[in-house]
Amino acid sequence: MITFDETNCYFHISTPNSSYVIRLYGEYIPQHLYYGKKLDNLNGILNDDEPFVPGFSAIDREYCEEQITTDVVLQEYAFYGSCDLRKPSFHAVYKDGSRITKMKFVSYKIYKGKPTLPSLPATYTENDDEADTLELLYRDEVTGLELTYTYTAFVKFDAVTRSVKAKNTGCDAVNIKEIMSCNVDFPRSDFDFIHLPGAWLRERHIERLSLISGRTHIESRRGSSSHHHSPFFALVDKCCTETQGQVYGFSFVYSGNFEAGAEVDSFGNTRAYMGINSFDFNWMLKKDEQFIAPEVVMVYSSEGLGKMSRTYHKLYRTRLARGMYRDTERPVLINNWEATYMNFDEQKIVDIARTAAKAGIEMLVLDDGWFGKRNDSQSSLGDWFVFKDKLPSGINGLAKKVNDLGLKFGLWVEPEMISENSDLYRSHPDWCIHVSGREKSRGRNQLVLDLSRQDVCDYIVKVLSDILSSAPISYVKWDMNRNMSEIGSEKLPPERQSEVAHRYMLGLYGVLEMLTQRFPNVLFEGCSGGGGRFDAGMMYYFNQYWTSDDSDAVERMYIQHGTSLVMPSTFMGAHVSEVPNHQVGRVTSLETRGNIAFCGQLGYELDVTKMSEEELDAIRAQIEKYKTISDTVHNGDMYRLLSPFDSNYVAWEFISNNKNQVVVCYGTVNTLPQCKNNFVKLEALESNREYRLFGADKVYSADVLMNIGFAVENQKDFSADLYVFEKI
Ligand code: DGJ
């Protein structure tokens, strides 16, 4: 709900358990008054809000009658150019070389529903009763630049979204150098900062640190949100755990260069911010043009990190994810990558499919190496026609053979890339991101196509549409395997070169929108060397994402645990792969690999043709078991019971929406010898009910399970077990 109190000039944005309060302070400042636990009565909120003017700070004379300085006022949106010298949300250069922006209030609008963001991914509503929206319009009278701040409060989720639109109603071009999607100022600094740093094969490990005086900052300059930093952070109470303490989550619905962080000033205030990275960014906004800064989804929880995650999970899987597969269970797939890499032929793929069918697998995904003359990473990206030497029946012929074996067929592509050794490059050497006269640096021997160009985007849409129409393809794995370097476009004039990275994202979003709309029955899985671009922006187009190229079950305990801070299990591609594991050399049992993969979208990535009948039977049994719990894991609520970052163990609980089924995955990294059985306490069971542990003939009351717990057997190193409880 969003209300406006005309007497006090407050906007009160509320969700089921949170309040966000903005005050129109004079004509110039939307003052931030409060974000936190829901307030039913705002009386007295300003009683003690005395203006404070620290020494050395300049006074904003025209802002209001009182002597104030925006250097310390909590503001909804901060500008560079006047007295606020903290991290600005907006910084622009005007025609006369000045960098001063002063926004004056024009009007506000409150309405039901949520607007879409043109050309950008965003959360959505299915009908207008699901959300309320506030738009605040401000204008700079000197330059004619207008800014609209949009806030949406979801009625059923504790989530508030924000975005910003800049429109140039003046005569002269404006160069925007910095445009955050939000800042939130807090009158306190005693927070911890939680975020998800990582690397290729080691994505989204949880890091928690105390805010410093000054900035705690994360960012990507890599052309994508990257493996290194995830566009998410949370500010939390020092005492915050999974189940208690206040949490403010910030998640960016964007897949390119971003920056985010928190700045603590000298007076105990904290400014949280998130937006497109202002490093190497400039956007020239000509008369009548507009620029939209992507959406930030803010989630407040007064009950710890677990509650925050469950809010993100539910919101993202129901109001960010789209299409048929949003609400449909996905097929269990087998991917040939770790079985064959690029060394395969049609017979080998058909053999894998035939054996996989016997084991109950439902879809075969043909990975890299099927196109152009591709036998290694040196060639062929861009030449999206079949490599006949390997696949004489073509993709259509192979897909039909796979279908005849009872499996769906899926295909890997990497459409954003180009190899110099390709027909496409020979015809269009200017189509890659580059700067004339400079060496083009290769990553995995490839260059990045320039998706800031419409002709390149049109080519990708056409060539992908041709492939998808040419054969019964039910699934696409969309990969992207390098960072950007020498960022430049031949199509843009010099003054627009710093727009390339963002224009690339807009181009990519346009391509993905077109293809996912054109092929609504195809399941699209995103990938970027595993989880390199696994962000909320991508999940508007892809129903699932290859969580990491590291498929080792123990590494996945960490990666899936960290990823679950924001992303629901239904988004996480998780495969049972070969042992010794190809990334870390670890040997784990088939059961352990299965149990960890059950906590995402189950797939297999090993050479089933080399497996014994017993092993194939074990896979069949795994899939049968998975089918009995997958709805709970994918659509139920997740509780992180034990963290591998804090202990030798991991435990995740998934509880079905009707609370009838509870699935617990318990993993051990290193066993402690001579240790009594561990007890695991469950959460959120229906009180006064009893639960039967499947396969053990043991019945527990909800009280016992939640307060004493159940004993998990002493584990071996690198193992994971699954426990399923049914409500009686
Ligand atoms: C990187 C992906 O993450 C892998 O799963 C595989 O598809 C390779 N690319 C293929 O080149």
Side-chain angles (χ1 to χ4, degrees):
M1 191 155 85
I2 301 182
T3 54
F4 183 55
D5 175 335
E6 297 206 1
T7 318
N8 296 301
C9 291
Y10 304 145
F11 294 99
H12 185 177
I13 300 169
S14 60
T15 67
N17 296 294
S18 75
S19 285
Y20 190 105
V21 187
I22 303 166
R23 171 195 182 206
L24 297 180
Y25 188 12
E27 288 180 296
Y28 290 89
I29 308 172
Q31 184 188 7
H32 179 73
L33 284 188
Y34 176 78
Y35 184 29
K37 200 165 179 154
K38 185 143 182 182
L39 305 177
D40 291 326
N41 188 336
L42 302 189
N43 276 347
I45 194 169
L46 274 178
N47 282 354
D48 302 315
D49 190 44
E50 293 296 316
F52 165 55
V53 181
F56 270 69
S57 293
I59 307 292
D60 294 273
R61 287 172 58 193
E62 61 194 313
Y63 274 13
C64 71
E65 288 154 13
E66 298 163 48
Q67 288 266 306
I68 63 147
T69 172
T70 47
D71 208 11
V72 287
V73 172
L74 305 185
Q75 296 183 80
E76 276 307 310
Y77 203 68
F79 301 95
Y80 176 73
S82 195
C83 301
D84 187 350
L85 298 175
R86 294 169 288 178
K87 154 87 178 155
S89 285
F90 191 85
H91 174 199
V93 180
Y94 301 96
K95 192 189 172 206
D96 60 359
S98 71
R99 284 95 54 223
I100 298 167
T101 307
K102 279 203 171 179
M103 287 283 159
K104 192 169 178 183
F105 178 71
V106 178
S107 61
Y108 77 88
K109 263 200 289 193
I110 296 175
Y111 53 90
K112 289 213 155 297
K114 182 174 193 292
T116 54
L117 293 188
S119 310
L120 285 168
T123 54
Y124 60 88
T125 51
E126 287 199 326
N127 66 65
D128 284 351
D129 291 335
E130 291 184 2
D132 295 291
T133 294
L134 164 67
E135 287 183 13
L136 297 175
L137 175 63
Y138 280 75
R139 180 179 298 127
D140 184 334
E141 292 175 325
V142 175
T143 62
L145 185 73
E146 283 184 359
L147 290 180
T148 306
Y149 316 131
T150 303
Y151 301 75
T152 295
F154 281 91
V155 170
K156 288 206 182 129
F157 305 101
D158 285 313
V160 174
T161 65
R162 289 184 60 178
S163 64
V164 174
K165 180 172 83 186
K167 185 165 181 210
N168 188 353
T169 67
C171 299
D172 303 315
V174 175
N175 280 294
I176 300 175
K177 306 207 80 65
E178 191 158 359
I179 179 164
M180 294 296 100
S181 294
C182 78
N183 66 260
V184 179
D185 289 356
F186 295 88
R188 53 177 281 209
S189 59
D190 54 340
F191 286 119
D192 277 353
F193 184 90
I194 294 181
H195 73 123
L196 300 170
W200 178 56
L201 303 179
R202 182 170 34 84
E203 295 89 340
R204 289 172 297 284
H205 279 213
I206 297 176
E207 185 171 86
R208 177 172 181 161
L209 49 147
S210 213
L211 287 185
I212 58 162
S213 295
R215 271 209 240 167
T216 305
H217 181 80
I218 55 172
E219 65 179 330
S220 169
R221 303 174 176 187
R222 295 166 185 277
S224 74
S225 53
S226 86
H227 299 84
H228 302 249
H229 285 289
S230 208
F232 161 81
F233 72 91
L235 292 180
V236 306
D237 285 349
K238 296 271 174 203
C239 64
C240 169
T241 64
E242 279 291 326
T243 53
Q244 60 186 25
Q246 298 199 90
V247 180
Y248 299 89
F250 295 82
S251 164
F252 201 22
V253 190
Y254 186 63
S255 315
N257 293 338
F258 74 94
E259 61 175 296
E263 180 175 33
V264 173
D265 70 12
S266 304
F267 313 103
N269 301 312
T270 302
R271 169 166 293 162
Y273 56 89
M274 183 169 253
I276 292 175
N277 201 339
S278 50
F279 174 80
D280 197 31
F281 174 81
N282 184 80
W283 195 275
M284 188 196 285
L285 201 64
K286 292 202 167 150
K287 184 173 165 15
D288 296 330
E289 285 180 350
Q290 62 176 34
F291 180 90
I292 298 179
E295 174 166 292
V296 172
V297 178
M298 308 190 308
V299 166
Y300 170 77
S301 155
S302 60
E303 293 165 45
L305 285 164
K307 177 96 182 286
M308 174 204 72
S309 297
R310 287 186 291 282
T311 301
Y312 276 122
H313 294 174
K314 209 172 227 168
L315 180 67
Y316 282 180
R317 73 173 176 249
T318 60
R319 293 294 178 267
L320 176 66
R322 299 176 299 164
M324 172 182 116
Y325 276 103
R326 184 190 77 174
D327 306 315
T328 313
E329 271 300 311
R330 325 280 159 75
V332 175
L333 62 83
I334 184 154
N335 179 306
N336 72 303
W337 180 244
E338 289 196 12
T340 65
Y341 295 101
M342 294 188 212
N343 183 19
F344 60 82
D345 57 18
E346 184 176 296
Q347 193 54 50
K348 180 72 191 172
I349 299 300
V350 171
D351 287 348
I352 290 177
R354 183 176 301 107
T355 318
K358 280 205 283 180
I361 292 171
E362 298 161 315
M363 179 161 74
L364 177 123
V365 176
L366 179 61
D367 211 281
D368 195 354
W370 61 265
F371 52 92
K373 300 240 175 307
R374 181 98 160 159
N375 279 318
D376 55 39
S377 66
Q378 299 284 346
S379 82
S380 303
L381 290 166
D383 293 349
W384 299 109
F385 45 82
V386 74
F387 191 178
K388 282 265 182 178
D389 292 358
K390 282 182 177 175
L391 303 175
S393 316
I395 290 297
N396 189 32
L398 174 62
K400 284 192 171 143
K401 286 184 186 178
V402 170
N403 286 172
D404 288 345
L405 292 166
L407 271 69
K408 293 178 187 239
F409 179 80
L411 196 62
W412 176 97
V413 288
E414 195 180 359
E416 299 163 61
M417 296 293 149
I418 184 166
S419 307
E420 284 154 292
N421 184 5
S422 68
D423 290 351
L424 187 69
Y425 189 80
R426 285 182 277 276
S427 323
H428 299 287
D430 56 328
W431 273 17
C432 59
I433 286 194
H434 71 286
V435 174
S436 289
R438 297 277 179 190
E439 179 68 20
K440 300 169 185 133
S441 304
R442 293 149 194 105
R444 208 194 187 205
N445 304 307
Q446 62 202 46
L447 304 174
V448 184
L449 277 173
D450 179 1
L451 271 71
S452 74
R453 295 173 63 139
Q454 194 54 48
D455 50 358
V456 173
C457 292
D458 292 345
Y459 164 79
I460 294 176
V461 170
K462 160 105 183 48
V463 82
L464 264 284
S465 299
D466 288 350
I467 298 165
L468 292 177
S469 318
S470 73
I473 296 170
S474 306
Y475 159 108
V476 165
K477 177 176 173 187
W478 184 292
D479 207 349
M480 195 287 257
N481 280 307
R482 60 160 291 183
N483 296 151
M484 288 182 194
S485 60
E486 296 91 27
I487 298 178
S489 171
E490 270 201 17
K491 269 267 156 129
L492 289 171
E495 62 276 17
R496 289 204 182 270
Q497 288 298 319
S498 295
E499 297 176 9
V500 173
H502 180 58
R503 284 184 183 274
Y504 180 98
M505 286 322 308
L506 295 177
L508 175 61
Y509 289 147
V511 165
L512 292 174
E513 181 67 18
M514 192 84 96
L515 289 170
T516 48
Q517 295 301 328
R518 204 174 270 180
F519 299 95
N521 298 329
V522 172
L523 170 60
F524 282 83
E525 174 158 349
C527 176
S528 175
R533 202 167 52 182
F534 192 175
D535 54 61
M538 282 292 132
M539 301 321 292
Y540 188 63
Y541 307 97
F542 299 136
N543 284 119
Q544 54 192 59
Y545 211 94
W546 180 225
T547 312
S548 176
D549 271 352
D550 195 335
S551 57
D552 170 64
V554 176
E555 291 300 311
R556 281 300 189 107
M557 293 178 193
Y558 295 87
I559 293 168
Q560 291 175 207
H561 192 91
T563 303
S564 78
L565 241 49
V566 199
M567 297 298 181
S569 58
T570 188
F571 287 0
M572 296 185 215
H575 297 177
V576 172
S577 62
E578 209 88 55
V579 286
N581 175 265
H582 290 197
Q583 292 78 40
V584 295
R586 191 177 280 129
V587 175
T588 53
S589 70
L590 185 64
E591 190 186 2
T592 289
R593 281 172 276 154
N595 288 339
I596 294 296
F598 282 6
C599 299
Q601 291 291 348
L602 176 65
Y604 289 81
E605 191 161 333
L606 32 69
D607 192 346
V608 279
T609 64
K610 295 190 180 138
M611 295 182 94
S612 65
E613 285 302 320
E614 292 73 46
E615 285 172 313
L616 294 176
D617 285 347
I619 290 182
R620 176 177 281 285
Q622 272 186 336
I623 294 172
E624 278 166 14
K625 185 167 180 189
Y626 170 71
K627 296 275 174 185
T628 67
I629 60 160
S630 58
D631 183 52
T632 300
V633 170
H634 296 149
N635 300 313
D637 278 335
M638 179 191 192
Y639 292 79
R640 287 179 296 264
L641 307 175
L642 291 170
S643 165
F645 296 101
D646 301 334
S647 71
N648 269 330
Y649 310 101
V650 69
W652 304 317
E653 172 188 342
F654 301 91
I655 179 160
S656 62
N657 290 324
N658 59 13
K659 302 219 174 218
N660 282 349
Q661 189 183 56
V662 184
V663 177
V664 180
C665 178
Y666 181 88
T668 302
V669 182
N670 293 315
T671 314
L672 217 51
Q674 286 295 300
C675 200
K676 243 185 104 194
N677 279 347
N678 282 340
F679 276 73
V680 176
K681 287 188 215 166
L682 302 189
E683 301 210 22
L685 304 181
E686 210 174 306
S687 49
N688 302 324
R689 298 302 295 258
E690 296 192 322
Y691 289 78
R692 170 172 289 118
L693 176 58
F694 184 82
D697 200 25
K698 284 185 181 174
V699 172
Y700 301 83
S701 71
D703 273 354
V704 166
L705 284 176
M706 291 198 289
N707 295 293
I708 299 171
F710 72 100
V712 289
E713 280 167 31
N714 255 331
Q715 302 285 306
K716 296 204 188 83
D717 278 2
F718 310 144
S719 63
D721 274 337
L722 205 77
Y723 300 85
V724 180
F725 295 86
E726 299 290 346
K727 191 169 76 185
I728 302 173

